[in-house]
Amino acid sequence: MSEEEHPDVIVCPGGPLLLRGDHVVEDADGKRHRTSRSVSAVCRCGATGAPPWCDGTHQQFPRDRRP
Ligand code: FES
């Protein structure tokens, strides 16, 4: 399967950024986090209680206020 058919990074409308595979994510404080799952969700709304990861909090906002 090609990279175009199986992308490494997926933007979820109104939700997180999905990373497939191994990555190092630097948070807003400069702390680095290595992904440990086959797919990791990075928060794009800024409301997560577990930064930099999405914890589903974005679902509490109306769709037109989501990233
Ligand atoms: S995108 Fe899911 S909590 Fe922010």
Side-chain angles (χ1 to χ4, degrees):
M1 188 177 285
S2 73
E3 289 180 357
E4 289 181 15
E5 294 171 334
H6 200 74
D8 294 334
V9 180
I10 300 167
V11 177
C12 295
L17 192 70
L18 300 181
L19 304 177
R20 192 185 314 273
D22 297 331
H23 297 274
V24 175
V25 176
E26 185 172 292
D27 67 20
D29 297 326
K31 184 177 178 185
R32 294 179 181 174
H33 307 262
R34 181 170 292 281
T35 58
S36 59
R37 300 178 178 177
S38 57
V39 177
S40 300
V42 178
C43 175
R44 292 195 307 135
C45 75
T48 182
W53 313 118
C54 170
D55 66 358
T57 301
H58 65 271
Q59 296 174 14
Q60 297 176 5
F61 299 110
R63 284 209 169 270
D64 63 345
R65 291 191 50 220
R66 295 183 191 175

